[in-house]
Coordinates of all heavy atoms in Angstrom, one line a residue:
M1 N 4.7 -8.4 -16.5 CA 3.7 -7.3 -16.3 C 2.6 -7.8 -15.4 O 2.1 -8.9 -15.5 CB 3.2 -6.9 -17.7 CG 2.2 -5.8 -17.6 SD 1.8 -5.3 -19.3 CE 1.8 -3.5 -19.0
L2 N 2.2 -6.9 -14.5 CA 1.1 -7.3 -13.6 C -0.3 -7.2 -14.3 O -0.5 -6.3 -15.1 CB 1.1 -6.3 -12.4 CG 2.3 -6.4 -11.5 CD1 2.2 -5.3 -10.4 CD2 2.3 -7.8 -10.8
D3 N -1.2 -8.1 -13.9 CA -2.5 -8.0 -14.3 C -3.4 -7.2 -13.3 O -3.7 -7.8 -12.3 CB -3.1 -9.5 -14.5 CG -4.5 -9.5 -14.8 OD1 -5.0 -8.5 -15.4 OD2 -5.2 -10.5 -14.5
F4 N -3.6 -6.0 -13.6 CA -4.4 -5.1 -12.7 C -5.9 -5.4 -13.1 O -6.5 -4.5 -13.7 CB -4.0 -3.7 -12.9 CG -2.6 -3.4 -12.4 CD1 -1.6 -3.1 -13.2 CD2 -2.4 -3.5 -11.0 CE1 -0.3 -2.8 -12.7 CE2 -1.1 -3.2 -10.5 CZ -0.1 -2.9 -11.4
S5 N -6.4 -6.5 -12.7 CA -7.7 -6.9 -13.1 C -8.7 -6.7 -11.9 O -8.4 -7.1 -10.8 CB -7.8 -8.4 -13.4 OG -9.1 -8.9 -13.5
P6 N -9.8 -6.0 -12.1 CA -10.7 -5.8 -11.0 C -11.5 -7.0 -10.7 O -12.3 -7.0 -9.7 CB -11.7 -4.7 -11.6 CG -11.6 -4.8 -13.0 CD -10.2 -5.3 -13.3
G7 N -11.2 -8.1 -11.4 CA -11.9 -9.4 -11.1 C -11.3 -10.1 -9.8 O -11.8 -11.0 -9.3
K8 N -10.2 -9.5 -9.3 CA -9.5 -10.1 -8.2 C -9.3 -9.0 -7.1 O -8.9 -7.9 -7.5 CB -8.1 -10.7 -8.5 CG -8.1 -11.8 -9.6 CD -6.7 -12.2 -9.8 CE -6.5 -12.7 -11.2 NZ -5.1 -12.9 -11.5
F9 N -9.5 -9.3 -5.9 CA -9.2 -8.4 -4.8 C -7.7 -8.6 -4.5 O -7.3 -9.7 -4.0 CB -10.1 -8.6 -3.6 CG -9.8 -7.7 -2.5 CD1 -10.2 -6.4 -2.5 CD2 -9.0 -8.0 -1.4 CE1 -10.0 -5.5 -1.5 CE2 -8.7 -7.2 -0.4 CZ -9.2 -5.9 -0.4
Q10 N -6.9 -7.6 -4.7 CA -5.4 -7.8 -4.5 C -4.7 -6.5 -4.1 O -5.2 -5.4 -4.4 CB -4.8 -8.3 -5.8 CG -5.1 -9.7 -6.2 CD -4.2 -10.2 -7.3 OE1 -3.8 -9.4 -8.2 NE2 -3.9 -11.5 -7.3
L11 N -3.6 -6.7 -3.4 CA -2.6 -5.7 -3.1 C -1.4 -6.1 -3.8 O -0.9 -7.2 -3.7 CB -2.4 -5.6 -1.6 CG -1.3 -4.6 -1.1 CD1 -1.7 -3.2 -1.5 CD2 -1.1 -4.8 0.4
Y12 N -0.8 -5.2 -4.6 CA 0.3 -5.4 -5.4 C 1.6 -4.9 -4.8 O 1.5 -3.9 -4.0 CB 0.2 -4.8 -6.8 CG -1.0 -5.4 -7.6 CD1 -2.2 -4.7 -7.6 CD2 -0.9 -6.6 -8.3 CE1 -3.3 -5.3 -8.2 CE2 -2.0 -7.1 -8.9 CZ -3.2 -6.4 -8.9 OH -4.3 -7.0 -9.6
Q13 N 2.7 -5.4 -5.1 CA 4.0 -4.9 -4.6 C 4.2 -3.5 -5.2 O 3.9 -3.2 -6.3 CB 5.2 -5.8 -5.1 CG 6.5 -5.4 -4.5 CD 6.5 -5.6 -2.9 OE1 6.1 -6.5 -2.4 NE2 7.0 -4.5 -2.3
N14 N 4.6 -2.6 -4.3 CA 4.9 -1.2 -4.7 C 6.0 -1.2 -5.8 O 6.8 -2.1 -5.9 CB 5.2 -0.3 -3.5 CG 6.5 -0.7 -2.9 OD1 6.7 -1.8 -2.4 ND2 7.5 0.2 -2.9
Y15 N 6.0 -0.1 -6.6 CA 7.0 0.1 -7.6 C 7.3 1.6 -7.7 O 6.4 2.4 -7.7 CB 6.5 -0.4 -8.9 CG 7.6 -0.2 -10.0 CD1 8.6 -1.2 -10.1 CD2 7.6 0.9 -10.8 CE1 9.6 -1.0 -11.1 CE2 8.6 1.0 -11.8 CZ 9.6 0.1 -11.9 OH 10.6 0.2 -12.8
P16 N 8.6 2.0 -7.7 CA 9.7 1.1 -7.5 C 10.0 0.7 -6.1 O 9.4 1.3 -5.1 CB 10.9 2.1 -8.0 CG 10.4 3.4 -7.7 CD 8.9 3.4 -7.9
N17 N 10.8 -0.3 -5.9 CA 11.1 -0.8 -4.6 C 12.5 -1.5 -4.6 O 12.6 -2.4 -5.4 CB 10.1 -1.8 -4.1 CG 10.3 -2.2 -2.6 OD1 10.8 -1.5 -1.8 ND2 9.9 -3.4 -2.3
P18 N 13.5 -1.0 -4.0 CA 13.5 0.1 -3.0 C 13.3 1.5 -3.8 O 13.5 1.5 -5.0 CB 14.9 0.1 -2.4 CG 15.7 -0.9 -3.2 CD 14.8 -1.7 -4.0
F19 N 13.1 2.5 -2.9 CA 12.8 3.8 -3.5 C 13.3 5.0 -2.7 O 13.6 4.8 -1.5 CB 11.3 4.0 -3.8 CG 10.5 4.0 -2.6 CD1 10.1 5.2 -2.0 CD2 10.0 2.9 -2.0 CE1 9.3 5.3 -0.9 CE2 9.2 2.9 -0.8 CZ 8.9 4.1 -0.3
N20 N 13.3 6.2 -3.2 CA 13.6 7.4 -2.5 C 13.1 8.6 -3.4 O 13.7 8.7 -4.5 CB 15.1 7.5 -2.2 CG 15.4 8.8 -1.5 OD1 14.5 9.4 -0.8 ND2 16.6 9.3 -1.7
P21 N 12.2 9.4 -3.1 CA 11.4 9.4 -1.9 C 10.0 8.9 -2.1 O 9.2 8.9 -1.2 CB 11.4 10.9 -1.5 CG 11.3 11.6 -2.8 CD 12.2 10.7 -3.7
A22 N 9.6 8.6 -3.4 CA 8.2 8.3 -3.6 C 8.0 6.9 -4.4 O 8.9 6.5 -5.1 CB 7.5 9.4 -4.5
T23 N 6.9 6.3 -4.2 CA 6.5 5.0 -4.8 C 5.0 5.0 -5.0 O 4.3 5.8 -4.4 CB 7.0 3.8 -3.9 OG1 6.9 2.6 -4.6 CG2 6.2 3.8 -2.6
N24 N 4.6 4.0 -5.8 CA 3.2 3.8 -6.1 C 2.7 2.5 -5.5 O 3.4 1.5 -5.7 CB 2.9 3.8 -7.6 CG 3.1 5.2 -8.2 OD1 2.5 6.2 -7.7 ND2 3.9 5.3 -9.2
I25 N 1.6 2.5 -4.9 CA 1.0 1.3 -4.3 C -0.3 1.0 -5.1 O -1.2 1.9 -5.2 CB 0.7 1.4 -2.8 CG1 2.0 1.6 -2.1 CG2 -0.1 0.2 -2.3 CD1 1.8 1.9 -0.6
N26 N -0.4 -0.1 -5.8 CA -1.6 -0.5 -6.6 C -2.4 -1.6 -5.9 O -1.8 -2.5 -5.2 CB -1.1 -1.0 -8.0 CG -0.3 0.1 -8.7 OD1 -0.8 1.1 -9.0 ND2 0.9 -0.2 -9.1
F27 N -3.7 -1.5 -6.1 CA -4.6 -2.5 -5.5 C -5.9 -2.5 -6.3 O -6.2 -1.6 -7.1 CB -4.9 -2.1 -4.0 CG -5.7 -0.8 -3.8 CD1 -7.0 -0.8 -3.7 CD2 -5.0 0.4 -3.7 CE1 -7.7 0.4 -3.5 CE2 -5.6 1.5 -3.5 CZ -7.0 1.6 -3.4
S28 N -6.6 -3.6 -6.2 CA -7.8 -3.8 -6.9 C -8.9 -4.3 -6.0 O -8.6 -5.1 -5.1 CB -7.7 -4.7 -8.1 OG -7.3 -6.0 -7.8
V29 N -10.1 -3.9 -6.2 CA -11.3 -4.3 -5.4 C -12.3 -4.9 -6.3 O -12.5 -4.5 -7.4 CB -11.8 -3.2 -4.5 CG1 -10.8 -2.8 -3.4 CG2 -12.2 -2.0 -5.3
T30 N -13.1 -5.9 -5.8 CA -14.1 -6.6 -6.6 C -15.5 -6.1 -6.4 O -16.3 -6.3 -7.2 CB -14.1 -8.1 -6.4 OG1 -14.3 -8.3 -5.0 CG2 -12.7 -8.7 -6.7
S31 N -15.7 -5.4 -5.3 CA -17.0 -4.9 -5.0 C -16.9 -3.6 -4.2 O -15.8 -3.4 -3.6 CB -17.9 -5.9 -4.2 OG -17.2 -6.3 -3.0
M32 N -18.0 -2.9 -4.1 CA -17.9 -1.6 -3.3 C -17.4 -2.0 -1.9 O -18.0 -2.9 -1.2 CB -19.3 -1.0 -3.2 CG -19.3 0.3 -2.5 SD -18.5 1.5 -3.5 CE -19.6 2.9 -3.2
A33 N -16.3 -1.3 -1.4 CA -15.8 -1.7 -0.1 C -15.1 -0.5 0.5 O -14.6 0.4 -0.2 CB -14.7 -2.8 -0.3
S34 N -15.0 -0.5 1.8 CA -14.2 0.5 2.6 C -12.8 -0.1 2.6 O -12.6 -1.2 3.1 CB -14.8 0.6 4.0 OG -14.0 1.4 4.7
V35 N -11.9 0.7 2.1 CA -10.5 0.3 2.0 C -9.6 1.2 2.9 O -9.7 2.4 2.8 CB -10.0 0.4 0.5 CG1 -8.5 0.1 0.4 CG2 -10.8 -0.6 -0.4
A36 N -8.8 0.6 3.6 CA -7.8 1.3 4.4 C -6.4 0.8 4.1 O -6.2 -0.4 4.1 CB -8.1 1.2 5.9
I37 N -5.5 1.7 3.9 CA -4.1 1.3 3.7 C -3.3 2.1 4.7 O -3.3 3.3 4.8 CB -3.5 1.7 2.3 CG1 -4.3 0.9 1.2 CG2 -2.0 1.3 2.2 CD1 -3.9 1.2 -0.2
S38 N -2.5 1.3 5.6 CA -1.8 1.8 6.7 C -0.3 1.5 6.5 O 0.0 0.4 5.9 CB -2.2 1.3 8.0 OG -3.6 1.6 8.2
I39 N 0.6 2.4 7.0 CA 2.0 2.2 6.9 C 2.5 1.9 8.3 O 2.1 2.6 9.3 CB 2.7 3.4 6.3 CG1 2.1 3.9 5.0 CG2 4.2 3.2 6.2 CD1 2.2 2.9 3.9
Y40 N 3.4 0.9 8.5 CA 4.0 0.5 9.8 C 5.5 0.4 9.6 O 6.0 0.0 8.5 CB 3.5 -0.8 10.2 CG 2.0 -0.8 10.4 CD1 1.1 -1.1 9.4 CD2 1.4 -0.6 11.7 CE1 -0.3 -1.1 9.6 CE2 0.1 -0.6 11.9 CZ -0.8 -0.8 10.9 OH -2.1 -0.8 11.1
N41 N 6.2 0.6 10.7 CA 7.7 0.4 10.6 C 7.9 -1.1 10.8 O 6.9 -1.9 11.1 CB 8.5 1.2 11.6 CG 8.1 0.9 13.1 OD1 7.7 -0.2 13.4 ND2 8.4 1.9 14.0
I42 N 9.1 -1.6 10.7 CA 9.4 -3.0 10.8 C 9.1 -3.6 12.1 O 8.9 -4.8 12.2 CB 10.9 -3.3 10.3 CG1 11.1 -4.8 10.0 CG2 11.8 -2.8 11.4 CD1 10.3 -5.2 8.8
R43 N 9.0 -2.8 13.2 CA 8.6 -3.3 14.5 C 7.1 -3.4 14.6 O 6.6 -3.8 15.7 CB 9.2 -2.4 15.6 CG 10.7 -2.4 15.6 CD 11.2 -1.6 16.7 NE 10.8 -0.2 16.6 CZ 11.5 0.8 16.9 NH1 12.7 0.7 17.3 NH2 11.0 2.0 16.7
G44 N 6.3 -3.0 13.6 CA 4.9 -3.1 13.7 C 4.2 -1.8 14.2 O 3.0 -1.9 14.5
E45 N 5.0 -0.8 14.4 CA 4.4 0.5 15.0 C 3.8 1.3 13.9 O 4.4 1.5 12.8 CB 5.5 1.3 15.7 CG 6.1 0.5 16.8 CD 7.4 1.2 17.4 OE1 8.1 1.9 16.6 OE2 7.7 1.0 18.5
F46 N 2.5 1.7 14.1 CA 1.8 2.5 13.2 C 2.6 3.8 12.8 O 3.0 4.5 13.7 CB 0.4 2.9 13.7 CG -0.4 3.7 12.8 CD1 -1.1 3.2 11.8 CD2 -0.5 5.1 13.1 CE1 -1.9 4.0 10.9 CE2 -1.3 5.9 12.2 CZ -1.9 5.4 11.2
I47 N 2.7 4.1 11.5 CA 3.3 5.4 11.1 C 2.3 6.3 10.5 O 2.3 7.5 10.8 CB 4.4 5.1 10.0 CG1 5.4 4.1 10.6 CG2 5.0 6.3 9.5 CD1 6.2 4.6 11.7
E48 N 1.5 5.8 9.6 CA 0.6 6.7 8.8 C -0.6 6.0 8.2 O -0.4 4.8 7.8 CB 1.4 7.4 7.7 CG 0.7 8.3 6.8 CD 1.5 8.8 5.6 OE1 2.7 8.5 5.5 OE2 0.9 9.6 4.9
Q49 N -1.7 6.7 8.1 CA -2.9 6.1 7.4 C -2.9 6.8 6.0 O -3.0 8.0 5.9 CB -4.2 6.5 8.1 CG -5.4 6.0 7.5 CD -5.7 4.5 7.9 OE1 -5.4 4.2 9.0 NE2 -6.3 3.7 7.0
L50 N -2.6 6.0 5.0 CA -2.4 6.5 3.6 C -3.8 6.6 2.9 O -4.0 7.6 2.2 CB -1.5 5.5 2.9 CG -1.0 6.0 1.5 CD1 -0.2 7.3 1.6 CD2 -0.2 4.9 0.9
V51 N -4.7 5.7 3.2 CA -6.0 5.6 2.5 C -7.0 5.2 3.5 O -6.8 4.3 4.3 CB -6.0 4.7 1.3 CG1 -7.4 4.4 0.8 CG2 -5.1 5.1 0.2
N52 N -8.2 5.8 3.5 CA -9.3 5.4 4.3 C -10.6 5.9 3.6 O -11.2 6.9 4.0 CB -9.2 5.9 5.7 CG -10.2 5.2 6.6 OD1 -10.9 4.2 6.3 ND2 -10.4 5.8 7.8
N53 N -11.0 5.2 2.5 CA -12.1 5.6 1.7 C -12.9 4.4 1.2 O -12.5 3.3 1.2 CB -11.6 6.4 0.4 CG -11.0 7.7 0.8 OD1 -11.6 8.5 1.6 ND2 -9.8 8.0 0.2
M54 N -14.1 4.7 0.7 CA -14.9 3.8 0.0 C -14.5 3.7 -1.5 O -14.2 4.8 -2.1 CB -16.4 4.1 0.0 CG -17.0 4.0 1.4 SD -17.1 2.3 2.0 CE -18.3 1.6 0.9
Y55 N -14.4 2.5 -2.1 CA -14.0 2.4 -3.5 C -15.0 1.5 -4.2 O -15.4 0.4 -3.6 CB -12.6 1.7 -3.5 CG -11.5 2.7 -3.2 CD1 -11.0 2.8 -1.9 CD2 -10.8 3.4 -4.2 CE1 -10.0 3.7 -1.6 CE2 -9.8 4.3 -3.9 CZ -9.4 4.5 -2.6 OH -8.4 5.3 -2.3
E56 N -15.3 1.8 -5.4 CA -16.1 1.0 -6.3 C -15.2 -0.1 -6.9 O -13.9 0.1 -6.9 CB -16.7 1.8 -7.4 CG -17.7 2.8 -6.8 CD -18.4 3.6 -7.9 OE1 -18.3 3.3 -9.1 OE2 -19.1 4.6 -7.5
P57 N -15.7 -1.1 -7.5 CA -14.9 -2.1 -8.1 C -14.0 -1.5 -9.2 O -14.4 -0.6 -9.9 CB -15.9 -3.1 -8.8 CG -17.2 -2.9 -8.0 CD -17.1 -1.4 -7.6
G58 N -12.7 -1.9 -9.2 CA -11.8 -1.4 -10.1 C -10.3 -1.5 -9.6 O -10.1 -2.1 -8.6
C59 N -9.4 -0.9 -10.4 CA -8.0 -0.9 -10.0 C -7.6 0.5 -9.7 O -8.0 1.5 -10.3 CB -7.2 -1.4 -11.2 SG -7.6 -3.1 -11.7
Y60 N -6.8 0.6 -8.6 CA -6.4 1.9 -8.1 C -4.9 2.0 -7.9 O -4.3 1.0 -7.6 CB -7.2 2.3 -6.9 CG -8.6 2.3 -7.1 CD1 -9.4 1.1 -6.9 CD2 -9.3 3.5 -7.5 CE1 -10.8 1.2 -7.1 CE2 -10.6 3.5 -7.7 CZ -11.4 2.3 -7.5 OH -12.7 2.4 -7.7
S61 N -4.4 3.2 -7.9 CA -3.0 3.5 -7.6 C -2.9 4.7 -6.6 O -3.6 5.7 -6.8 CB -2.2 3.8 -8.8 OG -0.8 4.0 -8.5
V62 N -2.1 4.5 -5.5 CA -1.9 5.6 -4.5 C -0.4 5.9 -4.5 O 0.4 5.0 -4.4 CB -2.4 5.1 -3.2 CG1 -2.2 6.1 -2.1 CG2 -3.9 4.7 -3.2
N63 N -0.1 7.1 -4.4 CA 1.3 7.6 -4.4 C 1.7 7.8 -2.9 O 0.9 8.4 -2.1 CB 1.5 8.8 -5.2 CG 3.0 9.2 -5.2 OD1 3.4 10.0 -4.3 ND2 3.7 8.8 -6.1
L64 N 2.8 7.2 -2.5 CA 3.3 7.4 -1.2 C 4.6 8.2 -1.3 O 5.5 7.8 -1.9 CB 3.7 6.0 -0.5 CG 4.5 6.1 0.8 CD1 3.7 6.8 1.9 CD2 4.9 4.7 1.2
N65 N 4.6 9.4 -0.6 CA 5.8 10.2 -0.6 C 6.3 10.0 0.8 O 5.8 10.5 1.8 CB 5.4 11.7 -0.8 CG 6.7 12.6 -0.8 OD1 7.7 12.2 -0.3 ND2 6.6 13.7 -1.5
A66 N 7.5 9.4 0.9 CA 8.1 9.0 2.1 C 9.3 9.9 2.5 O 10.3 9.5 3.1 CB 8.5 7.5 2.1
E67 N 9.2 11.1 2.0 CA 10.3 12.1 2.2 C 10.7 12.2 3.7 O 11.9 12.4 4.0 CB 10.0 13.4 1.6 CG 11.2 14.4 1.4 CD 10.8 15.6 0.6 OE1 10.4 15.4 -0.5 OE2 10.8 16.7 1.2
E68 N 9.7 12.1 4.6 CA 9.9 12.3 6.0 C 10.3 11.0 6.7 O 10.6 11.1 7.9 CB 8.7 12.9 6.7 CG 8.2 14.2 6.1 CD 9.2 15.3 6.3 OE1 9.8 15.4 7.4 OE2 9.4 16.2 5.4
Y69 N 10.3 9.9 6.0 CA 10.7 8.6 6.6 C 12.2 8.4 6.7 O 12.9 8.9 5.8 CB 10.1 7.5 5.9 CG 8.6 7.3 5.8 CD1 7.7 8.4 6.1 CD2 8.0 6.1 5.5 CE1 6.3 8.3 6.1 CE2 6.6 6.0 5.5 CZ 5.8 7.1 5.8 OH 4.4 6.9 5.7
A70 N 12.7 7.7 7.6 CA 14.1 7.3 7.7 C 14.3 6.1 6.8 O 13.4 5.4 6.4 CB 14.4 6.9 9.1
S71 N 15.5 5.9 6.4 CA 15.9 4.7 5.6 C 15.5 3.5 6.4 O 15.6 3.4 7.6 CB 17.4 4.7 5.2 OG 17.7 5.7 4.4
G72 N 15.1 2.4 5.7 CA 14.7 1.2 6.3 C 13.6 0.4 5.7 O 13.2 0.8 4.6
I73 N 13.2 -0.6 6.3 CA 12.1 -1.5 5.8 C 10.8 -1.2 6.5 O 10.8 -1.0 7.8 CB 12.5 -3.0 6.0 CG1 13.7 -3.3 5.3 CG2 11.3 -3.9 5.6 CD1 14.3 -4.7 5.5
Y74 N 9.8 -1.0 5.8 CA 8.4 -0.7 6.3 C 7.4 -1.7 5.7 O 7.7 -2.4 4.7 CB 8.0 0.7 5.8 CG 8.9 1.8 6.5 CD1 10.1 2.1 5.9 CD2 8.4 2.5 7.6 CE1 10.9 3.1 6.5 CE2 9.2 3.5 8.2 CZ 10.5 3.8 7.6 OH 11.2 4.8 8.2
L75 N 6.3 -1.7 6.4 CA 5.2 -2.6 5.9 C 4.0 -1.7 5.5 O 3.8 -0.7 6.1 CB 4.7 -3.5 7.0 CG 5.8 -4.4 7.7 CD1 5.3 -5.1 8.9 CD2 6.3 -5.4 6.7
Y76 N 3.2 -2.1 4.5 CA 2.0 -1.5 4.2 C 0.9 -2.5 4.2 O 1.1 -3.6 3.7 CB 2.0 -0.7 2.9 CG 2.4 -1.4 1.6 CD1 1.4 -1.7 0.7 CD2 3.7 -1.7 1.3 CE1 1.7 -2.3 -0.5 CE2 4.0 -2.3 0.1 CZ 3.0 -2.7 -0.8 OH 3.4 -3.3 -2.0
R77 N -0.2 -2.2 4.8 CA -1.3 -3.2 5.0 C -2.6 -2.6 4.4 O -3.0 -1.5 4.7 CB -1.5 -3.4 6.5 CG -2.6 -4.5 6.8 CD -2.7 -4.8 8.2 NE -3.4 -3.6 8.8 CZ -3.7 -3.6 10.1 NH1 -3.4 -4.5 10.9 NH2 -4.4 -2.5 10.5
L78 N -3.3 -3.4 3.6 CA -4.6 -3.1 3.1 C -5.6 -3.9 3.8 O -5.5 -5.1 3.9 CB -4.6 -3.4 1.6 CG -5.9 -3.0 0.9 CD1 -5.6 -2.5 -0.5 CD2 -6.8 -4.2 0.8
K79 N -6.6 -3.2 4.3 CA -7.8 -3.9 4.9 C -9.0 -3.4 4.2 O -9.3 -2.3 3.9 CB -8.0 -3.4 6.4 CG -7.1 -4.1 7.4 CD -7.3 -3.6 8.8 CE -8.7 -4.0 9.3 NZ -8.9 -3.7 10.7
A80 N -9.8 -4.4 3.8 CA -11.1 -4.2 3.1 C -12.0 -5.3 3.4 O -11.7 -6.5 3.2 CB -10.9 -4.1 1.6
E81 N -13.2 -5.0 4.0 CA -14.2 -6.0 4.4 C -13.5 -7.0 5.3 O -13.0 -6.7 6.3 CB -14.9 -6.6 3.2 CG -15.6 -5.6 2.4 CD -16.3 -6.2 1.2 OE1 -16.0 -7.4 0.8 OE2 -17.1 -5.5 0.6
N82 N -13.5 -8.3 4.9 CA -12.9 -9.4 5.7 C -11.5 -9.8 5.3 O -11.0 -10.8 5.6 CB -13.8 -10.6 5.7 CG -15.1 -10.3 6.4 OD1 -15.2 -9.5 7.3 ND2 -16.2 -10.9 5.9
S83 N -10.9 -9.0 4.5 CA -9.6 -9.3 3.9 C -8.5 -8.3 4.4 O -8.7 -7.1 4.6 CB -9.6 -9.2 2.4 OG -10.5 -10.1 1.8
V84 N -7.3 -8.9 4.6 CA -6.1 -8.1 5.0 C -4.9 -8.6 4.2 O -4.7 -9.8 4.2 CB -5.8 -8.2 6.5 CG1 -4.6 -7.5 6.9 CG2 -7.0 -7.8 7.4
Y85 N -4.2 -7.7 3.6 CA -3.0 -8.0 2.8 C -1.9 -7.1 3.3 O -2.1 -6.0 3.5 CB -3.2 -7.8 1.3 CG -4.3 -8.7 0.8 CD1 -5.6 -8.3 0.7 CD2 -3.9 -10.0 0.3 CE1 -6.6 -9.2 0.2 CE2 -4.9 -10.8 -0.2 CZ -6.2 -10.4 -0.3 OH -7.2 -11.3 -0.8
T86 N -0.7 -7.7 3.4 CA 0.5 -6.9 3.9 C 1.6 -7.2 2.9 O 1.9 -8.3 2.6 CB 0.9 -7.3 5.3 OG1 -0.3 -7.1 6.2 CG2 2.0 -6.5 5.8
K87 N 2.4 -6.1 2.6 CA 3.6 -6.2 1.8 C 4.6 -5.3 2.5 O 4.3 -4.5 3.4 CB 3.3 -5.7 0.4 CG 2.3 -6.5 -0.4 CD 2.8 -7.4 -1.3 CE 1.7 -8.0 -2.2 NZ 2.1 -9.3 -2.6
K88 N 5.9 -5.5 2.1 CA 6.9 -4.6 2.6 C 7.6 -3.8 1.5 O 7.6 -4.2 0.4 CB 7.9 -5.4 3.5 CG 8.7 -6.4 2.7 CD 9.6 -7.2 3.7 CE 10.2 -8.4 3.0 NZ 11.1 -9.1 3.9
F89 N 8.2 -2.7 1.9 CA 9.0 -1.9 1.0 C 10.2 -1.4 1.7 O 10.3 -1.4 3.0 CB 8.2 -0.8 0.4 CG 7.6 0.3 1.4 CD1 8.5 1.3 1.9 CD2 6.3 0.3 1.7 CE1 8.0 2.2 2.8 CE2 5.8 1.2 2.6 CZ 6.6 2.2 3.1
M90 N 11.2 -0.9 1.0 CA 12.4 -0.4 1.5 C 12.7 1.0 1.0 O 12.6 1.2 -0.2 CB 13.6 -1.3 1.1 CG 14.9 -0.9 1.7 SD 16.3 -2.0 1.2 CE 15.9 -3.5 2.0
I91 N 13.1 1.8 1.9 CA 13.5 3.2 1.5 C 15.0 3.3 1.7 O 15.6 2.9 2.7 CB 12.8 4.2 2.5 CG1 11.3 4.1 2.4 CG2 13.3 5.6 2.1 CD1 10.6 5.0 3.4
I92 N 15.7 3.8 0.7 CA 17.1 4.0 0.7 C 17.4 5.4 0.4 O 17.0 6.0 -0.6 CB 17.8 3.1 -0.3 CG1 17.6 1.6 0.0 CG2 19.3 3.4 -0.4 CD1 18.2 0.7 -1.1
K93 N 18.1 6.1 1.4 CA 18.4 7.5 1.2 C 19.9 7.7 1.1 O 20.6 6.9 1.6 CB 17.8 8.3 2.4 CG 16.3 8.3 2.3 CD 15.8 9.3 3.3 CE 14.3 9.3 3.1 NZ 13.6 10.4 3.9

């Protein structure tokens, strides 16, 4: 079980993974921060801006509906203040 603790700034692996057509992306922030989550294809090409908001300290979950995406491997990147985290997910149709 994951520890969704606001004491750590983290990006968690999406669940479920692989998926079709929707998944959840969880993250936590330690201080008030501007958070952006972007989706990229495996070649690094920008696909979609999923989140671009200010967040207070805490744990959050964002739903990604990838119904319009093709099957394959994608990356999701979280940027907040001076931190960048990247994980990958797979869509199987």
Side-chain angles (χ1 to χ4, degrees):
M1 179 172 224
L2 293 175
D3 173 26
F4 294 109
S5 168
K8 300 181 210 171
F9 181 78
Q10 288 190 328
L11 175 64
Y12 300 95
Q13 186 63 49
N14 66 300
Y15 182 82
N17 188 28
F19 67 95
N20 178 27
T23 189
N24 291 308
I25 297 173
N26 298 302
F27 62 97
S28 61
V29 293
T30 58
S31 61
M32 185 71 143
S34 175
V35 174
I37 299 178
S38 303
I39 309 297
Y40 298 86
N41 66 21
I42 195 65
R43 294 184 302 218
E45 298 168 334
F46 177 81
I47 302 296
E48 175 182 4
Q49 183 83 33
L50 191 60
V51 168
N52 191 13
N53 292 315
M54 291 294 293
Y55 285 88
E56 294 184 11
C59 301
Y60 299 91
S61 182
V62 177
N63 184 271
L64 169 63
N65 185 337
E67 194 170 298
E68 302 294 321
Y69 293 21
S71 294
I73 298 173
Y74 294 82
L75 305 170
Y76 59 105
R77 182 179 74 178
L78 182 143
K79 280 180 68 174
E81 298 179 349
N82 296 326
S83 300
V84 178
Y85 296 92
T86 304
K87 302 257 185 209
K88 63 183 171 180
F89 62 78
M90 181 181 294
I91 301 171
I92 298 177
K93 293 190 176 187

